[in-house]
Each structure stands twice: as structure tokens, then as C-alpha cells.
Amino acid sequence: MALFVIASCQLMVVLDITIVNIALPHIQTSLGFSTENLSWVINAYTLTFGGLLLLGGRLGDILGRRRVFVFGILLFVLASLLGGLSQESWQLLAARALQGVGGAIASPTALSLITTTFREGPDRNRAFGVFAAVSAGGSAIGLLAGGILVEWLDWRWVFFVNVPIGLLIVLATPRYIKESERHPGHFDLLGALTSTLGMVLLVYGFIRASEDGWSDRLTIGAFLAAVVFLALFLAVERRSKQPITPLHMFRDRNRAGAYGMMLSLAAAMFGMFFFLTLFVQNVLDFSPLRAGLAFLPVSAVIAVSAGITSQLLSRWGPKPFMVVGALLAAAGLAWLTGTDVHSSYLGSILGPTLVFGSGMGMQFVSLTLMAVSGVVPREAGAASGVLNATQQVGGSLGLSILVTVFGTASRNEASDQVPRFLSQATPAQQLEFRRTGELPGPWGDQVLTSGVSSAFVVAAVMAVIAALIALFVVQVRAGDLERLRGGAMVPPVAEEATDGGRADEAEGSVPTRKRDGGDGLAPGG
């Protein structure tokens, strides 16, 4: 029941990233967003989510994870209610940002609760398998749930639905989850502020470039300001005694590799769902419900793949699944680059999304185990926050990059399609075009698919980068496999020497099994 409560929270938080995707065309019409600015409905959530996850994980370590877990869910519920009641575009964006704050508090606390609730070995492996399946499959489930709500009710219900779910989780938490030990410390507010501002400005720079070009003054200014704030963030973290991002975690090549892979794969995954949602509704003319059903097989494949991987990890270790999973994700995205106006769901969409989903199911289990293992208990929340932050920040940054690629390719294609349209359009169509600036189908469909196809090329490259990291950076040792099986610890002294020393050792941790059930793998496992 504890795992059910934790997984339900993670499902609600992750699901909210994509449940809104299905409603985007309706939100655009209702509140007057442009296609490029529409991505802010996603980014307003994921940026505050990713930027504050590190602080959220730290809150759980210091104040108690169950207490912080409940507070985060309540804040998420309030923001969801406000989002559903929005009447202006700025109101919706503000509510989405507040949702991100609530998610940033609840999500890393949920992951760290698993590390303190389940004993290392097979039990924790299965718990991580469930958590990873929910994290990965929640995206596709969100598309289905969004389709049902938009089709049968209204786009506002993609927000209202969180209210009863969140309240049920809040009521169940005190009954099934024990409060964790509190670790004295302070909050690195300056680190949280500089990291969030840096990422917001970086994403804004890419989206601005997609609309106004790379030479635009605000575009250049946003990138320069982003560099300044991110440099300040690193300086703050180096000097802080209790940073929200303990930089020594990145000294372990396996953990750093897992974070890098999550960054790249999340960027590709967010882009795939965003652009395919627009494609199936605008080009294939799917209803919201049918569009949601179209992504249901992806959810099933991710869940099955994650379950199988969690069972086989103790036999083969995480590296083979990380390499093969990234390559499958890249193959699925490369397949999608052939999408055009003549594509069909069965012939061009279903196959590549299933390949992509099977690869992502492998990834989320392996990356979760590797990234949060081997940290001292007082930093469990921070480690969980870094993993979730790389996923959300990678998704936001990747989506903004792909939107920029989409915008450039679409403008180039539009320059070819506009003359053709004007030579064939009726006077009424020409008048409507001058009023809205939007090309009708089939000319508009051609512009959209050209941009989508180009975006998938870059997404495939991102997945290939993840595969290269898994192949050349990640190393798994015999002692790590023993810990995955829940067996006796292998003395890690000789292994540590080959890695040039352990960061955790510098922090005063002891490389032996922790009595509080803190870690499943040693650093680098």
C-alpha cells in the first residue's frame, strides 16, 4: 500500500505533463495562444518543476519526507483547481508554474521514500521497477486520460481531475507511510533561485529564436543572462556547505552518466509526445479521445519493458539495458522522421512508437537504480531531486530546442507553400489567410509535417548521444551485481581506487551496508 500511494503521486505528477498535450489545440483556441507560445503551457510546468526539484528533495531531508510529501500534493491540488478555472492565458501559465512547484516538492520526496521504505535487493528492485514504469508510462497514460476528458467533458477537466486524486493520496499517506528521520541543515534558496532563472532564460532564448530568429536582441540577451545565472549557480553550489545539488555526486562516472542519459532521453521523449499529439489531431484529424487511444499501446509497452528489466537487472546488470534501450529509442525516432502528409497511424506512427516505448521502459528502471544509489541518507532527497531535475529540465530544454528546429523548418516550408496556396485558393480562403496568417490544409499540413519531421531528426540524435554515454561512460562491477541480488556486500576498497576515490567517502560515509536500508548499489552501481 505504501508503494501504491507513492506511485499514485508520481503518476499524477508525471501524467500532468502530457495530459495537457491532448488539450493543447482546445486551449489554443480558447485562450488565444500561437503555436510557438503554446509550448509554454508545457514549459511553465516543467521548468518550475525541474528548477525546484533540487530544493524539494532537500526539504524532505530536513523537514521530514512524509510531511513535505503531503504539503507538495496539497499545493499541486490547489494549482490544478486554479488552472481549470483560468479565463486568460497568463492565468493558466501562472497556475501551471504553481503546479510545477507542488510537483517539485512531492516527486523527489516520493522517490526518496522508496529508498527508506524498501530493503535493498529484490524488494527495492521491484519497487523501483514500479516507480520507473509509472514515470515512463505516465506520459502515455496522460494522453489517453486527456483524450477522454476533453472528448467527453471539457479541456478544463484535465486540471480538475487532479483534485480528487490528490486529496485521496493525502488522506492515505499518514496511514501507510511512516515519517522519515529528519536531518539538520539549511535551505539553499540562492542555489534554487539561480538554477531556475538560468533554465527559464535558456528555454526562453530557444523559443524566442524559433519566432524571431537568432539575431534578435532579446534572444541574445536571454542566452547571455542564462549563462550568467547558471555560472552563479555553480559558484553558489561550490561554496555552500549544504547545497541543493551536491556537486560531488557528479564525480562518480556512473551516476554522472545516468544523469546525462536522462537529460538526453527526456529531451527526445517530451518532443515526441508534443509533436505527435499535434500531428495526429491536426493532420490525421483524430478526435482527442482517439488521439489518446493512439498512444495507449506505448504505455503498455513501457510498463511491460520496465517490468521485465527490473527482473533481469540482477542477472545482467543495468549497462546492457541502458545501451540497448537508448538504441531502440533512437531507432524509433529515426523511423518517425519519415512522417509526411500521406502517413497513417498504423503505417507510420504505431510501429516506431512501440520501438521507442520498449527502449524507454528499459531506461527508466536502469537509470533510476544507478542515479539514486550509493548516497548517504542525508542526501537521498538531493540525489532523487537531481535525477528528476535532469528529466524535467532535459524535457523543457529539449522541447524548446525541437520547437526551434520545428519553427525554422516550418518557415522554410511555408515560403514554398504560400505561393502555391495563393495560386490555387479561392477569394474567401485568401481573405481568411490574410486575417489569420495561418495556411489551411493541405498547405498547412505540409508545413506542419515538414517541421515535425525535422524535429524528429534532432530527437533521434539526442537518443544516440544517450547510447554513446551508456557505452563509453558507464561501468558496472561484479560487486554491484551482488548488491542488486541483495547478497553480501563485496569489499569495495580496490574498486574505489580505480575510480580515483569516492566522493561520498570524502563526505564521511562508510562503504558498507546501511542498517537503515538506504542504498541498493554502491556508487557507480
Side-chain angles (χ1 to χ4, degrees):
M1 286 303 301
L3 180 59
F4 179 78
V5 172
I6 295 170
S8 297
C9 168
Q10 182 68 2
L11 178 62
M12 182 179 68
V13 171
V14 173
L15 179 146
D16 211 74
I17 298 170
T18 54
I19 193 173
V20 179
N21 274 18
I22 288 292
L24 287 176
H26 298 266
I27 293 173
Q28 183 176 19
T29 302
S30 178
L31 300 182
F33 284 94
S34 68
T35 300
E36 284 82 4
N37 286 333
L38 194 62
S39 64
W40 278 108
V41 178
I42 305 298
N43 286 332
Y45 177 74
T46 55
L47 278 174
T48 51
F49 190 6
L52 296 176
L53 272 166
L54 306 174
L55 182 61
R58 189 66 178 154
L59 286 172
D61 290 341
I62 296 175
L63 300 179
R65 289 169 188 147
R66 189 180 72 178
R67 181 182 295 105
V68 171
F69 179 74
V70 169
F71 175 76
I73 294 172
L74 287 174
L75 187 61
F76 189 89
V77 166
L78 173 63
S80 298
L81 180 62
L82 294 175
L85 297 174
S86 299
Q87 300 299 317
E88 301 287 343
S89 58
W90 69 267
Q91 294 173 348
L92 178 60
L93 295 182
R96 290 289 283 165
L98 187 61
Q99 272 189 308
V101 176
I105 294 173
S107 184
T109 310
L111 183 56
S112 57
L113 280 171
I114 288 182
T115 66
T116 56
T117 301
F118 296 90
R119 298 180 62 182
E120 60 186 344
D123 287 347
R124 188 179 296 170
N125 293 349
R126 284 192 291 269
F128 274 135
V130 172
F131 190 89
V134 167
S135 298
S139 298
I141 294 172
L143 293 170
L144 174 61
I148 293 173
L149 293 170
V150 174
E151 182 84 5
W152 292 351
L153 298 171
D154 183 77
W155 67 263
R156 298 180 184 277
W157 278 93
V158 302
F159 299 105
F160 290 148
V161 71
N162 292 325
V163 177
I165 296 174
L167 292 178
L168 287 174
I169 295 173
V170 168
L171 292 174
T173 298
R175 182 172 182 178
Y176 297 108
I177 297 178
K178 295 180 180 179
E179 182 59 276
S180 65
E181 179 184 356
R182 297 171 63 176
H183 301 278
H186 71 276
F187 304 117
D188 184 12
L189 297 178
L190 185 58
L193 179 64
T194 52
S195 64
T196 303
L197 287 176
M199 290 310 306
V200 168
L201 288 166
L202 186 60
V203 169
Y204 175 75
F206 279 109
I207 294 178
R208 179 84 185 184
S210 71
E211 297 178 318
D212 300 289
W214 293 94
S215 60
D216 177 71
R217 291 183 179 181
L218 283 178
T219 300
I220 297 172
F223 283 127
L224 291 176
V227 171
V228 171
F229 277 109
L230 292 176
L232 285 174
F233 168 68
L234 291 177
V236 168
E237 298 308 280
R238 286 181 180 276
R239 296 179 181 179
S240 176
K241 293 182 179 180
Q242 294 179 330
I244 56 171
T245 310
L247 297 181
H248 66 78
M249 290 184 181
F250 294 90
R251 296 175 192 166
D252 183 276
R253 60 184 295 166
N254 286 356
R255 189 176 296 115
Y259 292 150
M261 289 185 66
M262 182 66 82
L263 196 75
S264 298
L265 290 169
M269 184 176 72
F270 276 50
M272 188 201 76
F273 282 121
F274 180 81
F275 289 112
L276 280 186
T277 302
L278 294 179
F279 179 82
V280 298
Q281 291 193 75
N282 294 337
V283 178
L284 300 184
D285 292 325
F286 279 21
S287 67
L289 177 58
R290 191 179 178 191
L293 289 171
F295 291 100
L296 186 58
V298 183
S299 177
V301 168
I302 290 175
V304 171
S305 178
I308 294 174
T309 301
S310 66
Q311 296 297 319
L312 297 178
L313 274 172
S314 59
R315 180 180 302 176
W316 293 327
K319 181 168 182 174
F321 298 100
M322 296 169 76
V323 175
V324 173
L327 290 175
L328 285 174
L333 292 166
W335 191 351
L336 284 170
T337 60
T339 303
D340 57 31
V341 292
H342 304 295
S343 297
S344 64
Y345 171 72
L346 291 177
S348 305
I349 305 298
L350 179 60
T353 54
L354 292 180
V355 173
F356 178 85
S358 62
M360 291 305 295
M362 295 181 186
Q363 289 297 335
F364 275 89
V365 180
S366 306
L367 294 178
T368 301
L369 274 170
M370 185 163 289
V372 302
S373 300
V375 295
V376 292
R378 68 177 180 273
E379 293 181 345
S384 304
V386 172
L387 177 65
N388 281 282
T390 54
Q391 180 181 348
Q392 303 307 322
V393 171
S396 294
L397 183 59
L399 181 56
S400 66
I401 293 172
L402 296 177
V403 165
T404 303
V405 173
F406 168 85
T408 302
S410 296
R411 283 195 300 271
N412 293 336
E413 183 64 26
S415 65
D416 295 332
Q417 293 297 325
V418 168
R420 298 175 186 174
F421 164 73
L422 293 176
S423 66
Q424 301 175 35
T426 65
Q429 288 178 318
Q430 293 185 24
L431 181 63
E432 182 67 13
F433 171 68
R434 292 189 182 96
R435 187 181 68 83
T436 64
E438 298 287 337
L439 283 171
W443 303 277
D445 291 347
Q446 187 66 50
V447 172
L448 178 66
T449 54
S450 177
V452 168
S453 179
S454 298
F456 282 138
V457 172
V458 179
V461 172
M462 293 174 175
V464 170
I465 292 173
L468 293 175
I469 293 174
L471 191 61
F472 295 108
V473 176
V474 174
Q475 293 180 343
V476 180
R477 302 176 291 255
D480 300 327
L481 294 178
E482 184 66 23
R483 283 179 282 274
L484 273 174
R485 300 184 182 108
M489 291 287 289
V490 176
V493 176
E495 294 175 341
E496 290 165 13
T498 63
D499 276 346
R502 286 242 316 268
D504 287 344
E505 197 172 64
E507 292 294 311
S509 63
V510 180
T512 56
R513 183 187 297 274
K514 295 178 177 60
R515 294 182 181 179
D516 63 355
D519 303 315
L521 298 176

